[in-house]
Amino acid sequence: MLIDTYGRVATDLRVSLTDRCNLRCTYCMPEEGLQWLAKPDLLTDDEIVRLIDIAVRTLGITEVRFTGGEPLLRPGLVGIVERVAALDPRPQMSLTTNGIGLKRTATALKAAGLDRVNVSLDTLRPDVFKTLTRRDRHKDVLEGLEAAREADLNPVKVNSVLMPGLNENEAPDLLAWAVEHDYELRFIEQMPLDAQHGWKRDGMVTAGDILQSLRTRFDLTPEGSEIRGSAPAERWLVDGGPHRVGVIASVTRPFCSACDRTRLTADGQVRTCLFAREETDLRAALRSDASDEEIARIWRLAMWGKKAGAGLDDPSFVQPDRPMSAIGG
């Protein structure tokens, strides 16, 4: 298993398949984009599947989430999903995407074995979407969401980040829309993972702000910590249920003590936390013909050193060098 010195056991693996993205979200990367990883630096499809196999068979991983960048840009994605679905034991598989390519891939991903998707959508207004993402692709995301639901990649979860001066007042409208379309909406506090290092804590829309806004139109009943478990989102029943809304308060209500995640970057580095400044290289071990047992040993050692928390409440907090597009959400 992957246990750390605080007794936390990682069972959830986040796998970044690429650092590339077809959007330029203001809270993630600059308008001109970033210097992408060279192809030889990226893990191959075979290397990704081998690491996931080691994690599932040897290290106790039961859930795998494919992320990016934008994972739908990975040419071999459907094949990777199909191969991971054939592993024994078979992990639960999900994918976090901006939704732009889902209309053409949702059916194939479901057939390959993908269980569900999380789609990022921060606004219902095409003009605001264009401002936030610097791309005019709002319609494509909506169509991608519909395709995911029709392909039975359920529950279809929608992740939204609210930004001051842009979409901070849209929380009630987003929730009404999600309830109407049977999506599970989750608001995520903006985190300090932008390439420009422009994040400021005193300017963010907090979980408290979001809940106050939602309660102007909806009755929210807490679901309870016993149901939440190690999940990052606190959830509430909307008007008595069955629909739910979640809030991931990574900054103001950190959940580090219950964290059960380990992360693999697109270039084969283990990260113990989104906000970690250290990485452990598995790619080098893979390419030097290390055995599965040796790779598992390196991975265990990396997770043993996981810190108690992200340290966002520490005045000396230093933002990670890599933006979210390179780490995986």
Side-chain angles (χ1 to χ4, degrees), residues 101-119:
L102 265 181
K103 183 178 180 180
R104 68 175 183 276
T105 56
T107 300
L109 287 168
K110 180 65 178 181
L114 191 70
D115 295 301
R116 64 173 188 82
V117 293
N118 286 34
V119 179

Side-chain angles (χ1 to χ4, degrees), residues 53-72:
D53 179 43
I54 293 170
V56 168
R57 183 170 38 83
T58 307
L59 299 175
I61 292 298
T62 59
E63 297 181 47
V64 175
R65 171 83 63 86
F66 297 109
T67 70
E70 173 44 53
L72 295 183

Side-chain angles (χ1 to χ4, degrees), residues 165-178:
L166 286 171
N167 62 339
E168 62 184 317
N169 298 319
E170 283 198 62
D173 291 339
L174 280 163
L175 181 52
W177 166 82

Side-chain angles (χ1 to χ4, degrees), residues 171-240:
D173 291 339
L174 280 163
L175 181 52
W177 166 82
V179 167
E180 178 185 355
H181 291 84
D182 201 26
Y183 303 139
E184 184 174 324
L185 180 62
R186 307 192 310 171
F187 292 99
I188 304 175
E189 287 183 338
Q190 184 193 2
M191 294 179 283
L193 290 168
D194 58 307
Q196 312 91 292
H197 291 197
W199 177 86
K200 290 183 174 59
R201 184 186 181 106
D202 58 4
M204 61 176 285
V205 180
T206 68
D209 298 330
I210 294 166
L211 291 169
Q212 184 178 6
S213 179
L214 291 176
R215 286 185 171 116
T216 63
R217 285 172 56 182
F218 301 95
D219 179 49
L220 302 181
T221 306
E223 192 174 52
S225 57
E226 68 281 357
I227 297 176
R228 178 184 182 185
S230 61
E234 294 181 76
R235 298 200 305 181
W236 286 261
L237 292 173
V238 179
D239 292 337

Side-chain angles (χ1 to χ4, degrees), residues 11-61:
T11 58
D12 184 338
L13 170 61
R14 304 298 169 101
V15 181
S16 176
L17 297 179
T18 178
D19 59 329
R20 296 174 184 263
C21 189
N22 42 11
L23 297 179
R24 297 291 181 270
C25 297
T26 56
Y27 51 77
C28 185
M29 68 172 72
E31 186 171 4
E32 65 275 13
L34 299 168
Q35 183 68 44
W36 306 127
L37 291 168
K39 188 173 181 180
D41 293 336
L42 294 170
L43 293 177
T44 66
D45 293 0
D46 287 345
E47 288 171 337
I48 289 170
V49 174
R50 183 184 173 195
L51 288 175
I52 295 174
D53 179 43
I54 293 170
V56 168
R57 183 170 38 83
T58 307
L59 299 175
I61 292 298

